PDB file of all heavy atoms in Angstrom:
ATOM      1  N   PHE A 234     -22.383 -14.448  -5.742  1.00 95.00           N
ATOM      2  CA  PHE A 234     -23.010 -13.126  -5.730  1.00 95.00           C
ATOM      3  C   PHE A 234     -23.691 -12.822  -4.406  1.00 95.00           C
ATOM      4  O   PHE A 234     -23.811 -11.657  -4.024  1.00 95.00           O
ATOM      5  CB  PHE A 234     -24.018 -13.014  -6.879  1.00 95.00           C
ATOM      6  CG  PHE A 234     -23.373 -12.863  -8.225  1.00 95.00           C
ATOM      7  CD1 PHE A 234     -23.337 -13.933  -9.110  1.00 95.00           C
ATOM      8  CD2 PHE A 234     -22.798 -11.666  -8.600  1.00 95.00           C
ATOM      9  CE1 PHE A 234     -22.733 -13.795 -10.351  1.00 95.00           C
ATOM     10  CE2 PHE A 234     -22.190 -11.521  -9.834  1.00 95.00           C
ATOM     11  CZ  PHE A 234     -22.149 -12.592 -10.714  1.00 95.00           C
ATOM     12  N   ALA A 235     -24.145 -13.849  -3.688  1.00 95.00           N
ATOM     13  CA  ALA A 235     -24.771 -13.611  -2.392  1.00 95.00           C
ATOM     14  C   ALA A 235     -23.776 -12.978  -1.422  1.00 95.00           C
ATOM     15  O   ALA A 235     -24.112 -12.054  -0.667  1.00 95.00           O
ATOM     16  CB  ALA A 235     -25.307 -14.929  -1.831  1.00 95.00           C
ATOM     17  N   ALA A 236     -22.519 -13.457  -1.432  1.00 97.00           N
ATOM     18  CA  ALA A 236     -21.485 -12.880  -0.569  1.00 97.00           C
ATOM     19  C   ALA A 236     -21.044 -11.516  -1.075  1.00 97.00           C
ATOM     20  O   ALA A 236     -20.836 -10.581  -0.285  1.00 97.00           O
ATOM     21  CB  ALA A 236     -20.292 -13.829  -0.487  1.00 97.00           C
ATOM     22  N   ILE A 237     -20.915 -11.398  -2.374  1.00 97.00           N
ATOM     23  CA  ILE A 237     -20.469 -10.124  -2.947  1.00 97.00           C
ATOM     24  C   ILE A 237     -21.454  -9.007  -2.632  1.00 97.00           C
ATOM     25  O   ILE A 237     -21.058  -7.860  -2.390  1.00 97.00           O
ATOM     26  CB  ILE A 237     -20.280 -10.272  -4.469  1.00 97.00           C
ATOM     27  CG1 ILE A 237     -19.073 -11.158  -4.764  1.00 97.00           C
ATOM     28  CG2 ILE A 237     -20.095  -8.908  -5.143  1.00 97.00           C
ATOM     29  CD1 ILE A 237     -18.885 -11.460  -6.236  1.00 97.00           C
ATOM     30  N   SER A 238     -22.742  -9.321  -2.610  1.00 97.00           N
ATOM     31  CA  SER A 238     -23.755  -8.279  -2.375  1.00 97.00           C
ATOM     32  C   SER A 238     -23.606  -7.641  -1.002  1.00 97.00           C
ATOM     33  O   SER A 238     -24.063  -6.509  -0.793  1.00 97.00           O
ATOM     34  CB  SER A 238     -25.159  -8.873  -2.525  1.00 97.00           C
ATOM     35  OG  SER A 238     -25.436  -9.810  -1.487  1.00 97.00           O
ATOM     36  N   TRP A 239     -22.959  -8.338  -0.060  1.00 97.00           N
ATOM     37  CA  TRP A 239     -22.745  -7.764   1.262  1.00 97.00           C
ATOM     38  C   TRP A 239     -21.543  -6.814   1.299  1.00 97.00           C
ATOM     39  O   TRP A 239     -21.405  -6.012   2.226  1.00 97.00           O
ATOM     40  CB  TRP A 239     -22.537  -8.873   2.297  1.00 97.00           C
ATOM     41  CG  TRP A 239     -23.822  -9.440   2.790  1.00 97.00           C
ATOM     42  CD1 TRP A 239     -24.467 -10.550   2.353  1.00 97.00           C
ATOM     43  CD2 TRP A 239     -24.655  -8.873   3.821  1.00 97.00           C
ATOM     44  NE1 TRP A 239     -25.642 -10.735   3.042  1.00 97.00           N
ATOM     45  CE2 TRP A 239     -25.783  -9.717   3.948  1.00 97.00           C
ATOM     46  CE3 TRP A 239     -24.566  -7.744   4.631  1.00 97.00           C
ATOM     47  CZ2 TRP A 239     -26.799  -9.468   4.863  1.00 97.00           C
ATOM     48  CZ3 TRP A 239     -25.576  -7.496   5.553  1.00 97.00           C
ATOM     49  CH2 TRP A 239     -26.672  -8.354   5.655  1.00 97.00           C
ATOM     50  N   LEU A 240     -20.693  -6.894   0.306  1.00 98.00           N
ATOM     51  CA  LEU A 240     -19.468  -6.092   0.294  1.00 98.00           C
ATOM     52  C   LEU A 240     -19.438  -5.055  -0.811  1.00 98.00           C
ATOM     53  O   LEU A 240     -18.580  -4.167  -0.797  1.00 98.00           O
ATOM     54  CB  LEU A 240     -18.246  -7.024   0.139  1.00 98.00           C
ATOM     55  CG  LEU A 240     -18.068  -8.091   1.219  1.00 98.00           C
ATOM     56  CD1 LEU A 240     -16.967  -9.066   0.817  1.00 98.00           C
ATOM     57  CD2 LEU A 240     -17.757  -7.451   2.559  1.00 98.00           C
ATOM     58  N   SER A 241     -20.326  -5.169  -1.777  1.00 97.00           N
ATOM     59  CA  SER A 241     -20.321  -4.254  -2.920  1.00 97.00           C
ATOM     60  C   SER A 241     -20.722  -2.843  -2.501  1.00 97.00           C
ATOM     61  O   SER A 241     -21.313  -2.630  -1.433  1.00 97.00           O
ATOM     62  CB  SER A 241     -21.267  -4.768  -4.010  1.00 97.00           C
ATOM     63  OG  SER A 241     -22.575  -4.932  -3.495  1.00 97.00           O
ATOM     64  N   PHE A 242     -20.391  -1.872  -3.346  1.00 98.00           N
ATOM     65  CA  PHE A 242     -20.689  -0.473  -3.036  1.00 98.00           C
ATOM     66  C   PHE A 242     -22.190  -0.265  -2.867  1.00 98.00           C
ATOM     67  O   PHE A 242     -22.627   0.515  -2.022  1.00 98.00           O
ATOM     68  CB  PHE A 242     -20.155   0.418  -4.158  1.00 98.00           C
ATOM     69  CG  PHE A 242     -20.041   1.864  -3.775  1.00 98.00           C
ATOM     70  CD1 PHE A 242     -19.020   2.306  -2.945  1.00 98.00           C
ATOM     71  CD2 PHE A 242     -20.961   2.792  -4.235  1.00 98.00           C
ATOM     72  CE1 PHE A 242     -18.907   3.644  -2.577  1.00 98.00           C
ATOM     73  CE2 PHE A 242     -20.854   4.137  -3.885  1.00 98.00           C
ATOM     74  CZ  PHE A 242     -19.826   4.555  -3.056  1.00 98.00           C
ATOM     75  N   GLN A 243     -22.987  -0.945  -3.673  1.00 97.00           N
ATOM     76  CA  GLN A 243     -24.438  -0.937  -3.529  1.00 97.00           C
ATOM     77  C   GLN A 243     -24.937  -2.373  -3.387  1.00 97.00           C
ATOM     78  O   GLN A 243     -24.441  -3.277  -4.058  1.00 97.00           O
ATOM     79  CB  GLN A 243     -25.107  -0.318  -4.768  1.00 97.00           C
ATOM     80  CG  GLN A 243     -24.865   1.162  -4.923  1.00 97.00           C
ATOM     81  CD  GLN A 243     -25.499   1.681  -6.196  1.00 97.00           C
ATOM     82  OE1 GLN A 243     -24.835   1.762  -7.230  1.00 97.00           O
ATOM     83  NE2 GLN A 243     -26.779   2.032  -6.136  1.00 97.00           N
ATOM     84  N   ASP A 244     -25.917  -2.558  -2.527  1.00 97.00           N
ATOM     85  CA  ASP A 244     -26.548  -3.863  -2.424  1.00 97.00           C
ATOM     86  C   ASP A 244     -27.269  -4.153  -3.745  1.00 97.00           C
ATOM     87  O   ASP A 244     -27.674  -3.240  -4.468  1.00 97.00           O
ATOM     88  CB  ASP A 244     -27.545  -3.862  -1.271  1.00 97.00           C
ATOM     89  CG  ASP A 244     -28.049  -5.264  -0.938  1.00 97.00           C
ATOM     90  OD1 ASP A 244     -27.478  -6.236  -1.469  1.00 97.00           O
ATOM     91  OD2 ASP A 244     -29.004  -5.359  -0.149  1.00 97.00           O
ATOM     92  N   PHE A 245     -27.427  -5.425  -4.070  1.00 96.00           N
ATOM     93  CA  PHE A 245     -28.101  -5.777  -5.324  1.00 96.00           C
ATOM     94  C   PHE A 245     -28.736  -7.150  -5.204  1.00 96.00           C
ATOM     95  O   PHE A 245     -28.401  -7.942  -4.316  1.00 96.00           O
ATOM     96  CB  PHE A 245     -27.117  -5.738  -6.493  1.00 96.00           C
ATOM     97  CG  PHE A 245     -26.013  -6.769  -6.410  1.00 96.00           C
ATOM     98  CD1 PHE A 245     -26.192  -8.064  -6.887  1.00 96.00           C
ATOM     99  CD2 PHE A 245     -24.790  -6.446  -5.831  1.00 96.00           C
ATOM    100  CE1 PHE A 245     -25.183  -9.014  -6.798  1.00 96.00           C
ATOM    101  CE2 PHE A 245     -23.773  -7.397  -5.734  1.00 96.00           C
ATOM    102  CZ  PHE A 245     -23.975  -8.683  -6.215  1.00 96.00           C
ATOM    103  N   GLN A 246     -29.640  -7.425  -6.131  1.00 95.00           N
ATOM    104  CA  GLN A 246     -30.260  -8.735  -6.259  1.00 95.00           C
ATOM    105  C   GLN A 246     -30.205  -9.145  -7.723  1.00 95.00           C
ATOM    106  O   GLN A 246     -30.272  -8.302  -8.625  1.00 95.00           O
ATOM    107  CB  GLN A 246     -31.723  -8.713  -5.790  1.00 95.00           C
ATOM    108  CG  GLN A 246     -31.918  -8.442  -4.304  1.00 95.00           C
ATOM    109  CD  GLN A 246     -31.840  -6.970  -3.970  1.00 95.00           C
ATOM    110  OE1 GLN A 246     -32.311  -6.129  -4.742  1.00 95.00           O
ATOM    111  NE2 GLN A 246     -31.232  -6.647  -2.823  1.00 95.00           N
ATOM    112  N   ILE A 247     -30.052 -10.455  -7.933  1.00 93.00           N
ATOM    113  CA  ILE A 247     -30.069 -10.996  -9.280  1.00 93.00           C
ATOM    114  C   ILE A 247     -31.506 -11.387  -9.614  1.00 93.00           C
ATOM    115  O   ILE A 247     -32.119 -12.204  -8.915  1.00 93.00           O
ATOM    116  CB  ILE A 247     -29.158 -12.223  -9.404  1.00 93.00           C
ATOM    117  CG1 ILE A 247     -27.725 -11.874  -8.966  1.00 93.00           C
ATOM    118  CG2 ILE A 247     -29.162 -12.754 -10.831  1.00 93.00           C
ATOM    119  CD1 ILE A 247     -27.046 -10.865  -9.852  1.00 93.00           C
ATOM    120  N   GLN A 248     -32.044 -10.784 -10.666  1.00 91.00           N
ATOM    121  CA  GLN A 248     -33.397 -11.092 -11.123  1.00 91.00           C
ATOM    122  C   GLN A 248     -33.324 -11.515 -12.582  1.00 91.00           C
ATOM    123  O   GLN A 248     -33.254 -10.670 -13.483  1.00 91.00           O
ATOM    124  CB  GLN A 248     -34.317  -9.887 -10.943  1.00 91.00           C
ATOM    125  CG  GLN A 248     -34.495  -9.473  -9.482  1.00 91.00           C
ATOM    126  CD  GLN A 248     -35.467  -8.312  -9.307  1.00 91.00           C
ATOM    127  OE1 GLN A 248     -36.043  -7.812 -10.284  1.00 91.00           O
ATOM    128  NE2 GLN A 248     -35.658  -7.880  -8.073  1.00 91.00           N
TER     129      GLN A 248
END
Side-chain angles (χ1 to χ4, degrees):
F234 286 105
I237 290 175
S238 67
W239 277 96
L240 301 171
S241 57
F242 197 75
Q243 291 177 266
D244 191 10
F245 65 86
Q246 294 81 37
I247 304 295
Q248 297 183 1

